[in-house]
Amino acid sequence: HQSVDIGGFRVRTEVDEEEECINIVAWHPALTEVPEEHHFQILFVLLDETLGEFGTKQWLGEIAIEEFDPDDKTRPLAELPDFIASMNAWYNWEKFNPLESWTMYQLQEQLDGPRGDTVVGTSLIPEMVFEYIENDGQLADNPLEGTGAELVYVALPTDIFPDGEQSEMRGAIEDTLSESLEPGRSGMVIGGAFGVEETFIDLLLFDGERSLQIVGETLSGLQVSGRVEPFAPS
C-alpha cells in the first residue's frame, strides 16, 4: 500500500510570462508503485486541495508528471500557493474569477447534431460547449461526476423571439431563471446562444430534481415552452 500525499509531492516550477501562468512538473516517489493511468487523477485532486476550486485552471499552464532531480526551481506542492502569490505580485497579473469571465464564440458553419445550428453565444464554459457540439452531443468525461451538481441547457424555439429583440428577450429569461434559482442556491446561468432553429440557455444546477423543478416552473410562468437537456449523463 502506497500513500500519495501533498507532503511528499515536489513540483518544479517555470514562469510563463507571456501566458501569465506557471508550468509545473510534479513527482511523488510513491508514484512508481501506482499505475500510470491514475497519476493525473491523484495530482489534480491534490492540486484542487492546494489551490482551491478554480486555482488550477487560473494559475497553471502545462502540467507534467515525471521523475526529476530537484533543483533551485523545485518546491513542495504545499508551498505552490505562496509561490504563485509571489509571482502574481511581482508580475502584477490580472486574473478574473472564472464565474465572471464570459467568452463570446461563433460557429463558422452549421453542424449536424445537438446545438449544431448555433450561430453565436457567450459562455463561462466555452471549451465544453465546443466539445459538445463538435462531438455530436457527447463529452469525453462528465466534469461534475460525483459532485451532485450537473450541467444542463434549456432549448427554446428561436421563432418565439421577436426580430430585433432577441437579445433582450433571452436576457430577460436568463434573469428570471437566475432570480428563481439563486435564493436556495439551486443553480446559476452560465451561458447562452442563438441558433437557427433553437436558442439555448446554459445552467449549472446544484439541487438535482428540485433545481429542474424550479427551471420548469419558471419557464411555465413565463409561458415559454422549452426542453432541458444534460451536457453529460448524470
Side-chain angles (χ1 to χ4, degrees):
H1 177 72
Q2 293 293 327
S3 176
V4 184
D5 56 4
I6 290 178
F9 250 109
R10 295 291 183 269
V11 293
R12 175 188 285 161
T13 54
E14 180 181 351
V15 177
D16 187 331
E17 296 181 44
E18 183 175 348
E19 296 295 329
E20 297 188 354
C21 64
I22 309 294
N23 300 325
I24 68 168
V25 179
W27 186 251
H28 191 297
L31 291 179
T32 58
E33 304 297 327
V34 176
E36 187 174 350
E37 61 265 27
H38 298 312
H39 288 188
F40 275 101
Q41 180 183 7
I42 294 169
L43 176 60
F44 279 110
V45 167
L46 296 178
L47 284 172
D48 284 347
E49 289 185 13
T50 306
L51 300 178
E53 185 177 2
F54 303 118
T56 303
K57 181 179 177 67
Q58 278 189 300
W59 298 109
L60 300 186
E62 297 179 7
I63 300 174
I65 301 178
E66 59 186 52
E67 194 168 1
F68 61 88
D69 294 325
D71 56 20
D72 59 354
K73 294 183 178 180
T74 301
R75 67 201 74 250
L77 176 59
E79 294 180 8
L80 188 57
D82 289 340
F83 176 73
I84 290 174
S86 66
M87 292 300 98
N88 182 40
W90 177 264
Y91 291 105
N92 195 28
W93 292 337
E94 186 175 13
K95 297 285 186 175
F96 298 98
N97 186 321
L99 297 181
E100 299 173 354
S101 301
W102 296 83
T103 298
M104 185 173 182
Y105 61 91
Q106 184 174 9
L107 263 64
Q108 299 302 317
E109 59 181 355
Q110 306 299 292
L111 302 173
D112 294 330
R115 295 183 65 151
D117 67 331
T118 297
V119 177
V120 65
T122 55
S123 180
L124 295 174
I125 53 167
E127 296 89 352
M128 198 176 76
V129 173
F130 297 152
E131 180 184 349
Y132 183 85
I133 295 173
E134 292 172 355
N135 292 283
D136 196 25
Q138 300 293 321
L139 297 179
D141 299 294
N142 180 356
L144 298 179
E145 186 174 3
T147 67
E150 61 180 323
L151 291 159
V152 305
Y153 64 89
V154 177
L156 304 166
T158 294
D159 59 15
I160 70 172
F161 294 82
D163 288 343
E165 300 178 17
Q166 292 96 331
S167 295
E168 290 81 359
M169 182 173 173
R170 196 190 80 192
I173 295 173
E174 291 175 354
D175 289 345
T176 304
L177 284 167
S178 293
E179 291 167 2
S180 299
L181 291 165
E182 185 176 349
R185 299 180 63 85
S186 297
M188 60 183 292
V189 175
I190 58 172
F194 289 109
V196 176
E197 299 294 333
E198 292 185 310
T199 288
F200 311 101
I201 298 174
D202 304 330
L203 303 169
L204 172 58
L205 303 181
F206 304 124
D207 199 13
E209 290 298 322
R210 175 54 184 157
S211 294
L212 291 170
Q213 182 182 354
I214 292 171
V215 172
E217 292 173 351
T218 301
L219 295 176
S220 178
L222 291 171
Q223 297 185 342
V224 294
S225 178
R227 70 181 194 283
V228 179
E229 299 284 352
F231 273 103
S234 58

